[in-house]
Structures are given as structure tokens and as C-alpha cells.
């Protein structure tokens, strides 16, 4: 790729680490001005600081790119709308949204509490709605725009101890498909990815069963930087006719669900 996002403005949520950070860096390398959103909490969504987002911004600037950091909680309607407003105020436009923010609170279903369910649904699903909804009127008015949402095989296929996460990520797949239908007449597209890469979230998966051991070993071969190019491509004009799709990304394979 060579400047496939030149002059575009891209918001990436959950971009302080892992897959989100690699997407933000590559988007900037491909010419985009990037809003790096991250609450700065741990994998459970606890705590928070602007540090991780700012570190990614500094890396982007060091490579000659343009970016700003944002620490808003996008599981909040107001937080997501403030994020979008900051992007518009700073760069004057938004062309693509990458909904990547996510947390885990893994617990076997019969022991799962409301406190382990609600935050996971809020960050992994409601945040996608919030940020997308904030951008939707702008995309409609300009007659184009791209949404890329992170789903997961935990939702599309299932996984032990992740009823909350799987439900949220399956919801993301439905959200993306329905947005694609609703916004098609306005030239706005929406796609979802179910990536399987080695990140700090995947690193929390227990290896107490042979199945999970194999899953973790496979994940170690799929690093976040291998996911970023496909996301950036979906944000670019070269994907202007691609919408309503759910892509699985594993090793060097891309499959449609």
C-alpha cells in the first residue's frame, strides 16, 4: 500500500495497545490523520490514563504522521460524541471509524455475575453503536464514510467462559450488517472483522484445557500488525464497494462468515 488513506481522518478506538495501536500507526503511515482513542485501563476495563494513547501518538509523530490522543470512555453516549466532536474540531472531517475498543471479564456461565456481564456488553457492543451513531449524520451528509467493527470468533463460533464477550461480539456482527443496510443509500459502508491475534486480551485466556492450549499457541503466530493492513484497506476508497461483510482473519487467511 502507498498512501491509500491520504488526506483522510480516521478514528480508532481502543488504540493504545495491541491491534488498535497497529491499526492507528499503519493508518497514519498510509497518510491518514488519526484520532487515537483509549481509556488506558487494563484488560478488564479497570483504571485508566491517557498514557497508552499518547505513546501511540508520539510514535506516529516520530514517523512523520499526524495524530491526537483521546481518553474518552466510548461506552458512554456523551463520551463517544465528544470524541467525534474533538476529531471534527481538530481535523475538520472524519472519513472512517474503526471500532476496536474491548475488554474481557471471563467467567464460566453459571458463575457469571451482572458486574461481569454489563461492562463487557457496554464496551464491546454499546461503544460500537455510540461511536458509529455519533459519526452517522456526518457520513450521511457527505455521502460517504466507512465503519469497521471488531467482532470475534468467540461470538461467531463460541468459546468457553466468554458468554458476555461472545454475546457482545455476535451483536457487533449484527450491528455492522444492519448499519450497512440502513446507510447504503447514503454511500456509507460497514464491515466487521473477527480477527484472531496475539494481544494482551487473548493472553488472559486460560490454558487449562488442550483446546485452549492449541488456541493460544495459534494466536501467538498471528500478531496485531498482521491484522492492521486489512483494516486500513477497508477504510480506503479501494473498498468503496465492500459493505455488509463479516471477515474472519486467521494466519494468512481471510474468510467470509
Amino acid at each position: 500500500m502507498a498512501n491509500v488513506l491520504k488526506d483522510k481522518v480516521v478514528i480508532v478506538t481502543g488504540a493504545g495497545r495491541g491491534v488498535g495501536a497497529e491499526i492507528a500507526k499503519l493508518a497514519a503511515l498510509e497518510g491518514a490523520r488519526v484520532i487515537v482513542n483509549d481509556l488506558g485501563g487494563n484488560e478488564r476495563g479497570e483504571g485508566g490514563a491517557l498514557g497508552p494513547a499518547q505513546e501511540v501518538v508520539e510514535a506516529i509523530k516520530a514517523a512523520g504522521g499526524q495524530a491526537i490522543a483521546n481518553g474518552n470512555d466510548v461506552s458512554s453516549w456523551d463520551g463517544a460524541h465528544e470524541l467525534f466532536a474533538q476529531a471534527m474540531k481538530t481535523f475538520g472531517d472524519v472519513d472512517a471509524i474503526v471500532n476496536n475498543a474491548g475488554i474481557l471479564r471471563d467467567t464460566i456461565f453459571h458463575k457469571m455475575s451482572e458486574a461481569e456481564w454489563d461492562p463487557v456488553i457496554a464496551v464491546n457492543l454499546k461503544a460500537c453503536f455510540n461511536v458509529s451513531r455519533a459519526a452517522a449524520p456526518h457520513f450521511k451528509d457527505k455521502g460517504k464514510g466507512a465503519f469497521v467493527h471488531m467482532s470475534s470468533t468467540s461470538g461467531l463460533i463460541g468459546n468457553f467462559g466468554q458468554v458476555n464477550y461472545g454475546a457482545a461480539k455476535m451483536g457487533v456482527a449484527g450491528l455492522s450488517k444492519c448499519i450497512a443496510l440502513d446507510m447504503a443509500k447514503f454511500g456509507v459502508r460497514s464491515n466487521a472483522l473477527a480477527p484472531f491475534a496475539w494481544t494482551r486480551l487473548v493472553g488472559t485466556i486460560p490454558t487449562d484445557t488442550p483446546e485452549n492450549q492449541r488456541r493460544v499457541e495459534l494466536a501467538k503466530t498471528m500478531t496485531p500488525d498482521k491484522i492492521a493492513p486489512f483494516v486500513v484497506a477497508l477504510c480506503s476508497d479501494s473498498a468503496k464497494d465492500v459493505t455488509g461483510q463479516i471477515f474472519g482473519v486467521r494466519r494468512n487467511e481471510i474468510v467470509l462468515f
Side-chain angles (χ1 to χ4, degrees):
M1 293 187 289
N3 275 345
V4 299
L5 297 181
K6 182 176 173 56
D7 298 326
K8 294 191 180 299
V9 179
V10 179
I11 294 174
V12 186
T13 70
R17 304 179 180 91
V19 172
E22 295 302 323
I23 293 169
K25 291 174 186 177
L26 184 59
L29 191 64
E30 291 294 331
R33 292 162 287 171
V34 182
I35 297 83
V36 179
N37 165 264
D38 201 286
L39 189 60
N42 62 20
E43 68 278 357
R44 290 175 57 86
E46 298 167 338
L50 196 59
Q54 191 60 49
E55 287 177 12
V56 174
V57 167
E58 293 306 320
I60 287 171
K61 289 182 176 179
Q66 298 182 61
I68 59 170
N70 175 278
N72 283 34
D73 178 1
V74 290
S75 69
S76 153
W77 171 274
D78 289 345
H81 281 70
E82 288 169 5
L83 163 64
F84 185 79
Q86 182 184 6
M88 291 295 296
K89 181 178 180 180
T90 304
F91 296 126
D93 199 4
V94 175
D95 298 282
I97 302 286
V98 180
N99 283 312
N100 173 75
I103 63 170
L104 290 175
R105 294 196 181 183
D106 292 359
T107 307
I108 197 76
F109 179 59
H110 67 277
K111 295 182 179 179
M112 185 170 289
S113 67
E114 187 176 33
E116 289 161 332
W117 170 271
D118 285 352
V120 172
I121 299 298
V123 175
N124 292 283
L125 178 55
K126 187 171 185 285
C128 290
F129 166 76
N130 288 340
V131 180
S132 299
R133 177 61 180 80
H138 177 68
F139 285 179
K140 173 182 175 292
D141 289 345
K142 69 187 289 189
K144 61 179 180 178
F147 295 110
V148 181
H149 317 273
M150 290 301 177
S151 183
S152 172
T153 52
S154 291
L156 300 174
I157 298 172
N159 193 37
F160 292 104
Q162 291 194 322
V163 166
N164 48 6
Y165 185 74
K169 291 301 187 180
M170 193 63 170
V172 169
L175 175 84
S176 181
K177 280 188 169 290
C178 291
I179 288 174
L181 292 171
D182 283 356
M183 301 295 288
K185 65 181 178 180
F186 307 120
V188 180
R189 60 193 191 274
S190 176
N191 294 286
L193 263 69
F196 198 64
W198 183 251
T199 67
R200 67 191 183 120
L201 292 189
V202 177
T204 68
I205 295 173
T207 54
D208 54 350
T209 66
E211 293 81 8
N212 274 349
Q213 288 172 11
R214 287 193 294 271
R215 187 172 183 236
V216 168
E217 288 306 311
L218 173 62
K220 287 180 179 178
T221 70
M222 190 66 178
T223 51
D225 60 291
K226 296 177 182 176
I227 302 294
F230 190 58
V231 176
V232 168
L234 286 175
C235 292
S236 74
D237 290 340
S238 62
K240 62 182 176 62
D241 298 319
V242 181
T243 191
Q245 303 301 313
I246 310 295
F247 296 97
V249 185
R250 174 175 172 174
R251 290 183 177 174
N252 295 319
E253 300 175 325
I254 296 173
V255 297
L256 282 172
F257 281 93

